[in-house]
Amino acid sequence: MAKALADLGALIRELPSAVAGQPPAATKAKAAPAAAAAPKGASAKAAPAAPAAEAPFDPELERKYGLVRSVGEECVAEPELRNLLQKKPNFVLYDGFEPSGRMHIAQGIYKAMNVNKCTAAGGTFVFWVADWFALMNDKMGGDLERIKTVGQYLIQVWTAAGMDMTRVKFLWSSEEICKHALPYWTQALDIGRKFSVARIMKCCQIMGRKEGTLTAAQILYPIMQCTDIFFLKADVCQLGVDQRKVNMLAREYCDAAGIKLKPIILSHHMLYGLKEGQQKMSKSDADSAIFMEDSAHDVKRKLDQAHCPTQEAEEGEGKVPEEESMQLVTDRLKNPCLDYVQHVLFSVPTASFSAGGTTYSSFAAVREAFLQGSLSEADLKAGLVLAVNGLLEPVRSHFNTDAEAKRILGLITGWMAEPKGARRTPLRRLDAAAEIGRAHV
């Protein structure tokens, strides 16, 4: 398992077409039967048009479609994705991330796997390093220089984790917006005037904020994030389910602005937090997630104490309000350990999972064995600890042996340990923003 992520590209290329997805027999192209000639003297009526012959099965297209589609828990819309892959081999995907502290396994390993699948299908993946957005959301105390340092740390983690950087680009929002201010803000203003404040406020979930707590700057956040999609000329928005609302706003904007080709939304699953009732991981709660440089001891400690139910909840029990839910697929078990097995370990093509003396070749087999009792909680967790530590070891090694990586991590760890009040540095925040402006005059 330690080499699984690094070998992902090779595994993908060897993936049989059956994994990528074969069309059902009914969809294979058939020759349309010739229309019967009308009898002589019959009234002249327009014969019904023969149905258009469907395109022949293209195994390479299906391979690419299967790879990209497997990344998302939801795709809006699948016919558009298939059409994009057929007509634009060099398509562009984007994800934006706030540099806001240490990286957890969902943002690290899971994201690296998803990016590698997309680029193996021919896509170029653009990471929008949203330093200005982190500033608006008051991350790292609103200190832009600290935010930029965290951005460099994230790139170090992804590189060490095995992300194939061949078709990956990193763009910093502060630099790109300043360099291209006219088109960016013209687009942002047009988006802003197409929607009511109430509609924009519905997107506040993307920041992890509730409506009553938003600052005026944070109300700009959804408008700017929507602008990013068009500014970056993204064909596919490949973000988490928690960002779905603003991505749908971009599609609504296309309707309002008369734009024919809408961005495709490919929303990946949000991993549960390790504690009971946690819809997703939290960087502010170190025990809610496995972080990318966690020691082997910390990984074992966190997973050993993780919530691990064996029975599904009753209908309606523990139901989360729809506007706060991070899940698009109904899951009444909500077991974070099984969630890791499914979405982290089995995201690798041809993966297997060993636990309790048995090797499983599919997540369904693991889940069934666990629910039936043939796989105990202790054995499940022991196997998970071993597999997760194998995935994290290259990252740990990098941060232990690379001097610059070690220095950056030390800074961030120290900043994260500061009391929240001590992180507020409004003068430095304004000075840093002014420096960026002067650099691009």
Side-chain angles (χ1 to χ4, degrees):
M1 181 57 72
K3 292 182 61 185
L5 189 59
D7 294 340
L8 181 59
L11 289 169
I12 284 169
R13 287 190 290 273
E14 296 169 4
L15 205 61
S17 58
V19 176
Q22 296 275 12
T27 66
K28 290 186 178 178
K30 295 179 181 178
K40 212 171 184 179
S43 59
K45 288 186 179 180
E54 295 183 19
F57 174 62
D58 182 346
E60 179 61 10
L61 173 62
E62 293 304 316
R63 183 190 74 85
K64 291 180 177 180
Y65 176 80
L67 281 172
V68 177
R69 181 62 186 87
S70 71
V71 166
E73 192 163 85
E74 178 192 55
C75 177
V76 183
E78 290 181 343
E80 295 175 20
L81 176 60
R82 191 180 292 277
N83 185 61
L84 174 71
L85 295 175
Q86 186 174 36
K87 296 183 177 179
K88 188 178 180 182
N90 300 314
F91 58 100
V92 176
L93 310 97
Y94 117 95
D95 189 0
F97 63 92
E98 288 184 6
S100 57
R102 293 175 65 204
M103 184 187 284
H104 52 55
I105 196 169
Q107 194 178 13
I109 298 293
Y110 185 40
K111 189 66 191 180
M113 291 175 176
N114 285 341
V115 169
N116 286 357
K117 289 178 181 179
C118 294
T119 56
T124 295
F125 210 106
V126 177
F127 277 105
W128 187 237
V129 189
D131 48 359
W132 266 9
F133 292 76
L135 180 66
M136 284 188 286
N137 218 3
D138 209 28
K139 297 298 176 68
M140 303 307 294
D143 187 320
L144 195 55
E145 291 307 308
R146 290 187 175 188
I147 290 168
K148 282 181 164 294
T149 300
V150 176
Q152 293 292 345
Y153 151 80
L154 298 179
I155 296 171
Q156 292 258 3
V157 173
W158 277 320
T159 303
M163 184 183 287
D164 182 358
M165 297 295 179
T166 308
R167 300 180 66 89
V168 173
K169 295 180 181 178
F170 291 93
L171 298 176
W172 295 76
S173 68
S174 59
E175 296 176 4
E176 296 300 317
I177 293 172
C178 284
K179 285 192 291 187
H180 307 283
L182 182 59
Y184 186 90
W185 292 113
T186 301
Q187 179 74 77
L189 288 172
D190 194 52
I191 291 170
R193 71 188 188 90
K194 292 287 196 297
F195 297 101
S196 66
V197 172
R199 175 64 185 88
I200 297 298
M201 296 281 278
K202 287 181 180 178
C203 296
C204 66
Q205 183 191 44
I206 64 173
M207 296 173 284
R209 307 281 182 178
K210 294 186 178 180
E211 290 187 25
T213 66
L214 295 178
T215 66
Q218 287 165 345
I219 294 174
L220 289 174
Y221 195 118
I223 296 173
M224 291 177 66
Q225 185 170 329
C226 186
T227 302
D228 297 340
I229 297 167
F230 301 99
F231 178 71
L232 297 171
K233 297 179 172 57
D235 300 303
V236 180
C237 301
Q238 205 294 280
L239 296 88
V241 169
D242 60 336
Q243 305 298 305
R244 184 181 186 276
K245 289 184 178 181
V246 78
N247 291 332
M248 291 300 293
L249 185 77
R251 288 179 66 89
E252 290 176 32
Y253 171 73
C254 288
D255 290 332
I259 298 173
K260 182 179 178 182
L261 293 177
K262 300 178 182 180
I264 297 161
I265 304 172
L266 194 64
S267 303
H268 63 248
H269 174 76
M270 300 296 293
L271 286 176
Y272 295 127
L274 293 176
K275 296 181 179 179
E276 183 176 2
Q278 289 183 325
Q279 286 284 301
K280 66 173 185 175
M281 300 173 176
S282 171
K283 291 183 181 179
S284 60
D285 181 355
D287 285 341
S288 75
I290 301 299
F291 289 85
M292 293 299 292
E293 331 78 26
D294 275 349
S295 67
H297 172 77
D298 279 338
V299 170
K300 185 177 188 309
R301 176 183 61 80
K302 291 179 182 182
L303 290 176
D304 280 349
Q305 65 187 20
H307 181 55
C308 194
T310 58
Q311 295 184 346
E312 295 184 342
E314 296 293 330
E315 187 74 34
E317 183 182 343
K319 188 174 182 181
V320 177
E322 186 176 347
E323 66 273 10
E324 297 178 15
S325 176
M326 299 289 173
Q327 311 301 325
L328 296 174
V329 176
T330 301
D331 175 19
R332 295 213 303 270
L333 189 61
K334 293 183 172 63
N335 184 317
C337 296
L338 289 178
D339 209 35
Y340 272 45
V341 173
Q342 180 178 8
H343 294 286
V344 176
L345 305 186
F346 277 104
S347 281
V348 179
T350 72
S352 61
F353 174 64
S354 297
T358 301
T359 298
Y360 301 90
S361 59
S362 71
F363 169 70
V366 177
R367 189 179 192 276
E368 182 180 6
F370 178 71
L371 294 182
Q372 290 180 351
S374 57
L375 176 61
S376 69
E377 176 181 335
D379 286 340
L380 171 67
K381 289 182 173 180
L384 188 56
V385 167
L386 187 64
V388 168
N389 272 323
L391 290 172
L392 297 186
E393 187 52 40
V395 180
R396 287 194 203 107
S397 177
H398 176 69
F399 279 91
N400 284 330
T401 58
D402 186 281
E404 179 62 9
K406 184 184 290 188
R407 183 189 71 83
I408 291 173
L409 180 59
L411 288 173
I412 294 168
T413 303
W415 295 336
M416 296 295 289
E418 292 176 358
K420 284 192 175 181
R423 298 185 200 173
R424 295 189 174 277
T425 52
L427 291 178
R428 287 183 64 193
R429 176 168 57 214
L430 293 175
D431 288 345
E435 286 172 12
I436 289 175
R438 287 193 294 270
H440 295 288
V441 170

